[in-house]
Amino acid sequence: MKKTSQEESKIHNSRLVLRTIYAQGEISRANVSRLTGLTRTTVSDIVSRFIQQDLVVETGTSPSRGGKPAILLNLADDSRHLLGIDLANSEFRGAVINLRGKVLHRINLPVQERDGEAALSLVFTLIKGLLALTDKPILGIGIGTPGLMDPHAGVVRTAVNLDWRDLPLADLLQEEFNLPTYVANDCQVAALAEFTFNRRQAENNLVVVKVGRGIGAGIILDGKLFYGDNFGAGEIGHMEIVKGGEPCLCGNYGCLETVASSRAIIRRARTLLEKGEPTVLSQLVSSPDEINTDVILKAFEAGDPGVQSIVDEVGQQLGFAIAHLVCALNINRVVIAGSLARFGDRLTRTIQEHVEQGALRALAGETRIEISPLGRDIVILGAASLILSNEVGLV
Amino acid sequence: MKKTSQEESKIHNSRLVLRTIYAQGEISRANVSRLTGLTRTTVSDIVSRFIQQDLVVETGTSPSRGGKPAILLNLADDSRHLLGIDLANSEFRGAVINLRGKVLHRINLPVQERDGEAALSLVFTLIKGLLALTDKPILGIGIGTPGLMDPHAGVVRTAVNLDWRDLPLADLLQEEFNLPTYVANDCQVAALAEFTFNRRQAENNLVVVKVGRGIGAGIILDGKLFYGDNFGAGEIGHMEIVKGGEPCLCGNYGCLETVASSRAIIRRARTLLEKGEPTVLSQLVSSPDEINTDVILKAFEAGDPGVQSIVDEVGQQLGFAIAHLVCALNINRVVIAGSLARFGDRLTRTIQEHVEQGALRALAGETRIEISPLGRDIVILGAASLILSNEVGLV
């Protein structure tokens, strides 16, 4: 049913008030009115409704500057809980999260080669487990997963690892658990997490590049996650970076993932080991098969020059790709997330250098490459942000 | 002054009605109400005001299907005129344009090495000339120009060719002519032109790549021109395409402009001629200095294999760059404009092929590369769209 413009405006005003309280932390009704441009009466009515719903609480009074001290409002952080789920490659991770993005409980279930129905049933088990951990009202379920999603329909178009194709995941879960359910690509929700829980003052545009087994970006434009015409925005892992390069799983050659993903790093570290030169790496493992990202990180931190040069080259390739994003979109903050974010400052410095070489200097000079502080929880938190965004208009 | 939400909603509704009439061509009040979700009374009030202002006219009645035939409304296409101006490299082009984007009068003034004050004075002359050609009310002046603009402030940040830096162009013209004036980058307004006058049904995202002496893109996202954090979105001419390639005017190496602009084509055609092999090109000119885009186009159309392979290589490089845009944004329609658009289907076919090699196939398969039908007028029309967008909320 189409909403009348009066209903729409009511919803719009409610969300504006809630967003303002959320962003400000503690704030008086008068200041909400000042910041939103809504009348005192409108604000008071909306706030009363939120207080009735336990969504907003009065937390005290502001220090008096003459006159009656104003009552301060805040969000009731724990009045509702969110289920955030990351269908990562090796394990399904889920958490109970409060309205401020605080992880309260978590469950990780190893996937162990499950796919199809078995993988789906593991998602159900995960959610049941999480629901048993909280007795607060649940605002919804949010899911971030690698692959091509249709977030509007809640359908997984293709998730190669899980062998899911055109799976109506949101409907299935909604039916089972009777909770609003949202599904989106893991890199896209990672951007939503960074934008919700680590946003800079007045920031409206943001790119998050998630670099792990795969590489993808989430792009926030004008304050909203941008999905693209077929929901595939941010698929930068398959930008052709090396002409005539290595074959990629996608069927093309020389994609960014072939040179800058964790798989690419592991492959190159194995080659390094096979050369037989004595390195930190060779002290950490006895065979190339034992090499994984954790081991490489240890060798990197211990100053293994071979490993450091592998990481530098990854930074160079990422920088080249990110330079193209900067040219196209002129977005000033680019945040690196995913397992390779653990390579930290040395990685971001190399990326920064190559962005400056690969993009118009006037734009590149304004660009800051940063590491996300959200760590491994970024997809879980992003999945939770999906709920905040859709259910209460935050973000 | 901050508008109250009631005033905002009034403006919003008025613009919605006008946009609906504009998009539909002929439409009854009842259908405007149906399409906008606004009440019949609200629509009637708004339409009455537009009719009073001569902006909308009643054009006849709809064929009766029983009952009273409905009166049809349309935009009064010529009730207001727009001045659209393209500060192109070799000449300043201006036109008087009606509300439907029809060019009614035009003036082109050669720039002849003018820059600084002299170039500015040429803009004044151009506008005076255009104003003398119409006696209709002028809705505003729109200007598209190469370089980095601040469209909100109407300031030219840098326009290298004209030697303008931090020039408050909009204010200067507004003061002189007392007309609302808008300034934006030429490639960005080109996208606005295509989106306003050649939009596909339900299309919300669009990329226009303008390829001439320089290369740049305009990007429409969610129905709006996207400017980026420093208004530099679309500066794809300075994407690094060839690692360690030719030096570019921007100070970096191997930028897209060094291999795919008209200057790059001309340079390569000259090399071809200097080789001394008998070609169509060598019959058209007697010395390499005579080679320009027009001559190259003639040789291309006459089937000169050397020239065709130059154009193919340009298509390949453009395809590589556009593939990166497709990966980042997943936008399905990419339109080629500018002087190199005249190379037509063969160019777009090559671009298409290379987009498929350089981007995730699921996305590239949905991408259509097209030539803009707006030809040399695209910037003039885009500049006019800026006025329509800002003054009456169209686009």
Side-chain angles (χ1 to χ4, degrees):
Chain A
M1 208 185 62
K2 207 164 173 180
K3 292 194 178 72
T4 67
S5 56
Q6 206 187 349
E7 282 168 333
E8 268 178 12
S9 138
K10 245 178 149 170
I11 293 173
H12 173 264
N13 291 344
S14 287
R15 294 190 158 199
L16 188 59
V17 168
L18 194 64
R19 210 155 48 223
T20 306
I21 296 171
Y22 192 71
Q24 298 295 315
E26 291 203 313
I27 187 169
S28 67
R29 287 172 178 80
N31 277 337
V32 172
S33 164
R34 197 175 50 77
L35 288 175
T36 57
L38 299 172
T39 65
R40 295 284 288 263
T41 318
T42 305
V43 169
S44 284
D45 288 351
I46 293 172
V47 165
S48 299
R49 217 165 39 243
F50 284 149
I51 291 179
Q52 254 174 27
Q53 297 167 349
D54 291 326
L55 202 54
V56 164
V57 283
E58 295 182 338
T59 54
T61 54
S62 69
S64 171
R65 287 182 296 179
K68 220 174 87 187
I71 296 169
L72 293 177
L73 305 166
N74 203 338
L75 195 78
D77 295 354
D78 283 289
S79 63
R80 307 283 192 286
H81 285 167
L82 313 161
L83 301 195
I85 290 168
D86 173 8
L87 302 184
N89 280 305
S90 55
E91 59 180 6
F92 289 175
R93 300 180 199 143
V96 177
I97 297 166
N98 81 3
L99 295 175
R100 287 277 177 207
K102 189 175 165 194
V103 172
L104 304 169
H105 311 284
R106 55 173 94 233
I107 298 179
N108 297 344
L109 299 177
V111 180
Q112 289 168 328
E113 315 291 321
R114 280 185 192 84
D115 61 15
E117 284 288 336
L120 183 61
S121 135
L122 194 66
V123 176
F124 279 78
T125 307
L126 180 62
I127 293 172
K128 273 177 206 149
L130 291 170
L131 285 172
L133 295 173
T134 170
D135 49 12
K136 290 284 165 62
I138 304 285
L139 211 50
I141 303 170
I143 298 184
T145 169
L148 216 53
M149 307 297 129
D150 177 343
H152 298 331
V155 169
V156 178
R157 288 275 163 244
T158 44
V160 177
N161 284 317
L162 300 173
D163 196 23
W164 288 349
R165 187 170 280 273
D166 295 324
L167 178 77
L169 185 57
D171 280 354
L172 291 172
L173 295 177
Q174 200 142 348
E175 216 165 89
E176 176 74 16
F177 299 106
N178 199 24
L179 286 169
T181 304
Y182 301 95
V183 179
N185 171 275
D186 59 345
C187 300
Q188 291 176 343
V189 304
L192 208 53
E194 185 72 23
F195 191 69
T196 309
F197 300 115
N198 195 29
R199 185 180 176 189
R200 297 288 177 272
Q201 186 85 29
E203 184 173 66
N204 277 320
N205 304 313
L206 175 70
V207 172
V208 170
V209 177
K210 188 165 169 286
V211 194
R213 262 176 65 90
I215 301 176
I219 305 175
I220 304 279
L221 300 174
D222 280 335
K224 274 170 42 192
L225 191 53
F226 182 74
Y227 287 112
D229 284 336
N230 316 93
F231 311 111
E235 282 287 358
I236 65 166
H238 301 284
M239 280 183 173
E240 183 189 12
I241 292 292
V242 183
K243 282 189 188 171
E246 304 272 315
C248 179
L249 295 173
C250 77
N252 280 334
Y253 294 83
C255 296
L256 182 60
E257 284 193 2
T258 65
V259 289
S261 64
S262 65
R263 282 176 296 185
I265 287 196
I266 290 168
R267 200 176 53 235
R268 302 201 51 205
R270 284 183 182 153
T271 314
L272 202 69
L273 200 69
E274 280 156 5
K275 278 192 194 153
E277 288 165 29
T279 58
V280 179
L281 199 59
S282 60
Q283 289 157 24
L284 290 170
V285 296
S286 50
S287 107
D289 292 343
E290 290 169 30
I291 291 182
N292 58 30
T293 316
D294 290 337
V295 170
I296 295 172
L297 184 63
K298 259 189 207 154
F300 173 81
E301 283 168 349
D304 186 315
V307 169
Q308 287 187 338
S309 90
I310 290 175
V311 173
D312 287 348
E313 200 164 314
V314 165
Q316 187 178 330
Q317 304 287 13
L318 286 172
F320 181 65
I322 290 170
H324 288 207
L325 288 180
V326 168
C327 282
L329 296 173
N330 178 212
I331 291 183
N332 287 345
R333 195 160 74 98
V334 178
V335 175
I336 309 297
S339 62
L340 267 58
R342 294 184 291 165
F343 290 98
D345 285 352
R346 179 157 173 157
L347 181 65
T348 53
R349 268 202 311 277
T350 316
I351 294 174
Q352 185 95 42
E353 271 168 36
H354 285 84
V355 167
E356 278 161 30
Q357 284 172 31
L360 195 65
R361 286 175 182 183
L363 307 184
E366 301 287 329
T367 309
R368 297 179 311 286
I369 312 294
E370 297 176 4
I371 298 285
S372 170
L374 301 177
R376 285 189 86 177
D377 285 337
I378 194 164
V379 175
I380 285 178
L381 290 170
S385 312
L386 270 182
I387 310 165
L388 289 177
S389 165
N390 284 287
E391 289 296 306
V392 288
L394 297 177
V395 196
Chain B
M1 210 185 63
K2 208 165 173 178
K3 293 194 178 73
T4 67
S5 57
Q6 207 188 350
E7 282 169 334
E8 268 178 12
S9 138
K10 246 178 145 169
I11 294 174
H12 174 263
N13 291 345
S14 289
R15 294 190 157 198
L16 187 60
V17 168
L18 193 64
R19 210 155 47 223
T20 307
I21 296 171
Y22 192 71
Q24 299 295 316
E26 291 203 313
I27 188 168
S28 66
R29 286 172 178 80
N31 278 337
V32 171
S33 163
R34 196 175 50 77
L35 288 175
T36 56
L38 299 173
T39 66
R40 295 285 287 263
T41 318
T42 306
V43 169
S44 284
D45 288 351
I46 293 172
V47 166
S48 299
R49 218 164 39 242
F50 284 149
I51 291 179
Q52 252 175 28
Q53 296 167 352
D54 291 325
L55 203 54
V56 165
V57 283
E58 296 180 338
T59 54
T61 52
S62 70
S64 172
R65 287 181 295 179
K68 217 174 88 186
I71 297 169
L72 294 176
L73 305 167
N74 203 339
L75 195 78
D77 296 354
D78 281 288
S79 63
R80 308 282 192 286
H81 283 165
L82 312 161
L83 301 194
I85 291 169
D86 173 8
L87 302 184
N89 280 304
S90 55
E91 59 180 7
F92 288 175
R93 301 178 199 144
V96 177
I97 298 165
N98 81 3
L99 295 175
R100 288 273 175 209
K102 188 175 167 195
V103 172
L104 304 169
H105 311 283
R106 54 172 94 233
I107 298 179
N108 296 344
L109 299 177
V111 181
Q112 289 168 328
E113 314 292 321
R114 280 185 192 83
D115 61 14
E117 285 287 337
L120 183 60
S121 135
L122 195 65
V123 177
F124 279 77
T125 307
L126 180 62
I127 294 172
K128 274 176 208 151
L130 291 170
L131 286 172
L133 295 174
T134 169
D135 48 13
K136 290 285 164 61
I138 305 286
L139 210 51
I141 303 171
I143 298 183
T145 169
L148 216 54
M149 307 297 127
D150 177 344
H152 299 330
V155 169
V156 178
R157 288 277 162 241
T158 44
V160 177
N161 284 317
L162 300 172
D163 196 23
W164 289 348
R165 187 172 281 272
D166 294 325
L167 179 77
L169 185 58
D171 281 355
L172 291 171
L173 296 177
Q174 201 143 348
E175 216 166 89
E176 177 73 16
F177 298 107
N178 200 22
L179 286 169
T181 304
Y182 301 94
V183 179
N185 172 275
D186 59 344
C187 301
Q188 291 175 342
V189 303
L192 209 52
E194 184 72 24
F195 191 69
T196 310
F197 300 115
N198 194 29
R199 185 181 177 187
R200 297 289 178 273
Q201 187 84 31
E203 183 173 68
N204 277 320
N205 303 313
L206 175 70
V207 172
V208 171
V209 177
K210 188 167 169 283
V211 194
R213 264 176 64 90
I215 300 175
I219 305 175
I220 304 279
L221 300 174
D222 280 336
K224 273 171 41 191
L225 190 54
F226 182 74
Y227 289 112
D229 285 335
N230 317 94
F231 312 112
E235 283 287 358
I236 65 165
H238 301 284
M239 279 183 173
E240 183 188 12
I241 292 293
V242 183
K243 282 187 188 174
E246 305 272 315
C248 180
L249 295 173
C250 77
N252 280 334
Y253 293 83
C255 295
L256 183 59
E257 284 192 4
T258 65
V259 289
S261 64
S262 66
R263 282 176 296 185
I265 286 195
I266 290 168
R267 199 177 52 235
R268 302 201 50 205
R270 284 181 182 154
T271 314
L272 203 68
L273 200 68
E274 279 156 5
K275 278 193 194 151
E277 290 165 28
T279 58
V280 180
L281 199 59
S282 61
Q283 289 158 24
L284 290 170
V285 295
S286 50
S287 107
D289 291 344
E290 291 167 29
I291 291 183
N292 57 32
T293 316
D294 291 336
V295 170
I296 295 172
L297 184 63
K298 259 189 208 152
F300 172 80
E301 283 168 348
D304 185 316
V307 168
Q308 287 187 340
S309 90
I310 290 175
V311 172
D312 287 347
E313 199 163 317
V314 165
Q316 187 178 331
Q317 304 287 13
L318 286 172
F320 182 65
I322 290 171
H324 287 207
L325 288 180
V326 168
C327 282
L329 295 172
N330 179 211
I331 290 182
N332 287 345
R333 196 160 72 97
V334 178
V335 175
I336 309 295
S339 62
L340 267 59
R342 293 184 292 164
F343 291 98
D345 285 353
R346 179 156 173 159
L347 182 65
T348 53
R349 267 202 312 276
T350 317
I351 294 174
Q352 185 94 44
E353 270 168 36
H354 285 83
V355 167
E356 279 163 27
Q357 284 172 31
L360 196 65
R361 287 175 182 184
L363 308 184
E366 301 287 330
T367 309
R368 298 179 311 286
I369 312 293
E370 297 177 2
I371 297 286
S372 171
L374 301 177
R376 285 189 87 179
D377 284 337
I378 195 165
V379 175
I380 285 178
L381 290 170
S385 312
L386 269 182
I387 310 166
L388 288 177
S389 164
N390 284 287
E391 288 296 307
V392 289
L394 297 177
V395 197

